[in-house]
Amino acid sequence: MSDGALRDASVIVARDANDLVALLSADFPAHGGEYLFLPGGRREDGESPLACARRELREEAGVTALRWRPLGSHAITLGSQARIHLYEARDLALGPQQLTESEQGYKLMWWPMADALRAVEEGRFLLPAGPLALLMAAHTPAA
């Protein structure tokens, strides 16, 4: 699994007690500006999809969660066997972000689900996994 292009990834819809969703934003000049995205990233060697989700949520958003619900997994691209694993995280505890050097511009915000879904419709998300995870979380009854 050492080839980054072939590694699975996890993406998280973190919802707080007020049903607000953790969103990140950053400027992506190569893509034409600032975009929204959900916490997530590629698995490290030997890491399970859930362990990856827990790590990425803690690092990028500074959030830990007691309850995790899988929302499914999907192919990253047609030409790869790598999958993206989607999760919903609840019962959150907030702490400091643990951003890497390449993530220093990430801004954490908390949005109502309806506003996040509207941003999806407006094309404000850079990566398709974020909109997919939001839609699945919004339309799947909570466990």
Side-chain angles (χ1 to χ4, degrees), residues 84-106:
I84 189 145
H85 304 274
L86 309 175
Y87 291 94
E88 180 181 53
R90 296 274 195 160
D91 294 334
L92 308 179
L94 306 181
Q97 288 175 288
Q98 301 167 17
L99 301 174
T100 66
E101 187 175 324
S102 65
E103 298 168 337
Q104 288 303 309
Y106 289 11

Side-chain angles (χ1 to χ4, degrees), residues 29-52:
H31 297 285
E34 189 165 312
Y35 286 91
L36 299 170
F37 53 101
L38 292 176
R42 297 215 184 256
R43 281 178 36 196
E44 295 178 354
D45 288 340
E47 190 175 47
S48 72
L50 180 57
C52 174

Side-chain angles (χ1 to χ4, degrees), residues 53-73:
R54 289 178 185 276
R55 177 181 53 77
E56 289 289 350
L57 183 61
R58 183 183 63 253
E59 290 174 358
E60 291 184 355
V63 173
T64 57
L66 293 178
R67 285 193 306 145
W68 289 85
R69 182 167 63 110
L71 298 172
S73 63

